Amino acid sequence: VKSDFSSEDFQLTLAQPLFQMENWYDYQTGKTIADKAKADLAAARAALLVRVGEGYFKVLKAQDDSRDVEREGEAIDQQALLSRRAYEQGITSETDFLETQVAVDSFMANREAARGVLTAERQNYAAVTGEIMPSLASLSNDVPIEMPQPATAQEWVQLARSRNAKLLSAEYAVKAADYDHQKAKAGHYPKVQMIANYVKTETHGGQAFTPASELASVGVELQVPIYSGGFVSASRRQKLYTADKIRDM
């Protein structure tokens, strides 16, 4: 008697970690790195504000210097005109006339230098702001000048330690490196996970009827690392060295 049959197996396995210290330290490392990125962004914003402020005041100073030189030029032009007339009329000597011309030449050099500085400062400011501004509004004469608060240097030191973005970034870097070291160290710890397994077998054909069979099980699996060729220990030492190096920076 010839009989043909086929069998089909379906299996589904689900695993849910219950205790894995590596994953927890990995999560903490990620959170700390995100906090460090926020601190770095805050430090970059603060640095940009400082650059904008410094550039603004440098342009204002260059504008004032150039304006002062131009005003000086009006007086020198008048003096040069009077000196030429006096020399042509024989009132002054050639030496006095040449001295006036030297003053005029010196003024022209100073004027070009002031204009060059103003152009350079405007370009430097444009490199920060992304826009070339022909002139900037000067500060008002009635700008209030107030004493800094808090008034003691020690309080400013405490504020800098607690709010300085660069210091916070460095602290987060050390913290992340410590978590990374703990993650590597956790490679020696056991792992616990819940396992759910479902198996269904169906047989088709044949002379005898074979009902489908189903098997479902739920259990807890414990994995205890014994030896991994020294990888975990080497990784732990390397992470510890990295953490100490970042801490000393």
Side-chain angles (χ1 to χ4, degrees), residues 203-215:
T203 303
H204 307 282
Q207 295 181 350
F209 171 72
T210 304
S213 63
E214 296 182 1
L215 176 64

Side-chain angles (χ1 to χ4, degrees), residues 16-219:
Q16 173 61 48
L18 300 178
F19 178 81
Q20 289 190 6
M21 289 301 296
E22 288 178 283
N23 292 348
W24 188 84
Y25 284 124
D26 198 26
Y27 168 71
Q28 294 298 328
T29 300
K31 282 182 56 180
T32 307
I33 291 176
D35 292 336
K36 181 182 182 302
K38 293 178 182 179
D40 290 338
L41 179 59
R45 286 176 175 172
L48 177 60
L49 290 176
V50 171
R51 290 179 62 193
V52 170
E54 289 179 345
Y56 170 75
F57 287 111
K58 286 182 179 179
V59 172
L60 288 188
K61 182 179 184 303
Q63 286 182 174
D64 291 341
D65 292 344
S66 180
R67 190 179 299 114
D68 292 341
V69 172
E70 295 294 343
R71 291 172 180 170
E72 180 185 355
E74 297 175 0
I76 290 180
D77 288 341
Q78 185 67 24
Q79 181 182 356
L81 178 61
L82 295 176
S83 177
R84 177 176 291 279
R85 289 178 179 176
Y87 174 69
E88 291 174 349
Q89 296 174 5
I91 299 176
T92 60
S93 64
E94 182 178 3
T95 301
D96 293 337
F97 172 70
L98 293 178
E99 287 179 352
T100 303
Q101 289 301 118
V102 170
V104 172
D105 294 340
S106 177
F107 156 74
M108 294 180 65
N110 292 336
R111 183 177 62 182
E112 293 303 316
R115 289 176 177 176
V117 171
L118 178 58
T119 300
E121 294 298 348
R122 284 175 175 170
Q123 291 176 346
N124 292 336
Y125 190 64
V128 178
T129 61
E131 182 179 357
I132 297 179
M133 301 180 183
S135 63
L136 296 177
S138 300
L139 293 177
S140 175
N141 293 328
D142 57 353
V143 173
I145 306 298
E146 300 178 356
M147 293 294 294
Q149 295 294 332
T152 64
Q154 185 61 31
E155 290 178 296
W156 281 105
V157 171
Q158 293 177 355
L159 284 175
R161 289 176 176 175
S162 61
R163 299 183 184 179
N164 186 284
K166 288 186 176 181
L167 290 179
L168 291 176
S169 176
E171 290 177 359
Y172 285 132
V174 172
K175 193 174 180 180
D178 287 337
Y179 278 132
D180 208 25
H181 169 237
Q182 292 299 325
K183 174 187 173 182
K185 187 178 179 180
H188 292 295
Y189 300 162
K191 300 177 182 179
V192 181
Q193 60 181 356
M194 182 178 66
I195 303 294
N197 194 42
Y198 173 77
V199 180
K200 181 178 181 181
T201 302
E202 293 182 354
T203 303
H204 307 282
Q207 295 181 350
F209 171 72
T210 304
S213 63
E214 296 182 1
L215 176 64
S217 63
V218 177

